[in-house]
Amino acid sequence: MTGFHALLLAAGAGSRFGGRKLLAPWDGEPLVRASARRALAAPVDGVIAVTGCDAPEVEAALADLTDARLRIARAPDWAQGLSASLRRGLLALPPDCRGVVVFLGDMPRVPVGAAARLLDALSAGAPAAEILCDGRPAHPVAYAAALFPELLTLRGDTGGRRLLRDRPGVARIATKDPGAVFDVDRAEDLAARNNDAKRRRFSSPE
């Protein structure tokens, strides 16, 4: 038992995508399930998927994942923005949680080993740890339990990264993996990716 947990924030409407983004197909499965697999690959005791918009369908998309660590928490106030999903996930954590690594439901390519590096930094005493890709803020992000009270005060469509800007001791871990910044934002993002996958498949030598 590590004492660490993961949150998968999967409550948004995906309005720029045109709705139902997390249910869109990605490599033969719903996008949210692909992202959940990345969270479940983290060395954590549990993963809480926070749902909201399209909750029954999103939860059904996750239902056949057989990892017993996965639990669901619905955010009834999901429309208030990302902070509402984050609060709901934090409140669902066990009281002995040492820290949490936060994944987003529309980011199915985050580096598999990133969470372990973040949690190692928390274990070493960092109040938080973030991934940077070519100097840009990337994902996932991890927070020690000491920051939970501040995270719970956030409001609107904002995550916890704003608390890290000038905070001493935050671990910043560099990666060149583009999956750390890739998200499905609009329908064309998904279409371009799927078309690229088809081209690679049909151009492969026999």
Side-chain angles (χ1 to χ4, degrees):
M1 302 290 283
T2 67
F4 294 114
H5 293 255
L7 300 181
L8 176 68
L9 304 186
S15 55
R16 281 178 290 187
F17 186 85
R20 299 174 67 84
K21 174 173 68 173
L22 298 178
L23 302 170
W26 176 274
D27 281 348
E29 64 181 343
L31 174 63
V32 69
R33 190 187 303 159
S35 299
R37 292 186 193 279
R38 297 295 172 126
L40 289 166
V44 293
D45 296 336
V47 175
I48 297 172
V50 181
T51 64
C53 185
D54 301 316
E57 294 89 346
V58 171
E59 291 165 16
L62 299 173
D64 64 350
L65 290 174
T66 58
D67 197 314
R69 295 175 300 157
L70 180 64
R71 295 193 295 121
I72 302 294
R74 285 194 188 186
D77 54 350
W78 63 268
Q80 295 180 13
L82 185 64
S83 64
S85 301
L86 181 60
R87 288 197 305 274
R88 180 67 184 93
L90 291 171
L91 292 172
L93 292 169
D96 60 349
C97 177
R98 297 170 56 201
V100 67
V101 57
V102 179
F103 294 81
L104 301 182
D106 63 355
M107 296 191 70
R109 285 182 171 175
V110 294
V112 171
R117 298 177 68 189
L118 295 173
L119 295 176
D120 283 346
L122 296 193
S123 294
E130 62 179 344
I131 297 289
L132 299 179
C133 183
D134 292 330
R136 298 165 53 197
H139 287 273
V141 184
Y143 305 93
L147 279 185
F148 290 179
E150 288 183 66
L151 293 170
L152 288 169
T153 68
L154 295 173
R155 294 295 183 270
D157 195 27
T158 183
R161 201 171 225 125
R162 62 183 293 183
L163 302 179
L164 309 185
R165 291 172 189 159
D166 300 314
R167 187 174 298 271
V170 173
R172 294 181 168 89
I173 298 169
T175 181
K176 292 188 177 296
D177 190 325
V181 291
F182 173 81
D183 68 336
V184 177
D185 191 31
R186 294 176 170 83
E188 51 264 34
D189 298 332
L190 192 61
R193 191 268 174 198
N194 288 337
N195 288 337
D196 182 60
K198 289 178 182 178
R199 283 195 298 270
R200 289 199 306 271
R201 184 164 64 249
F202 288 119
S203 64
S204 298
E206 295 292 336

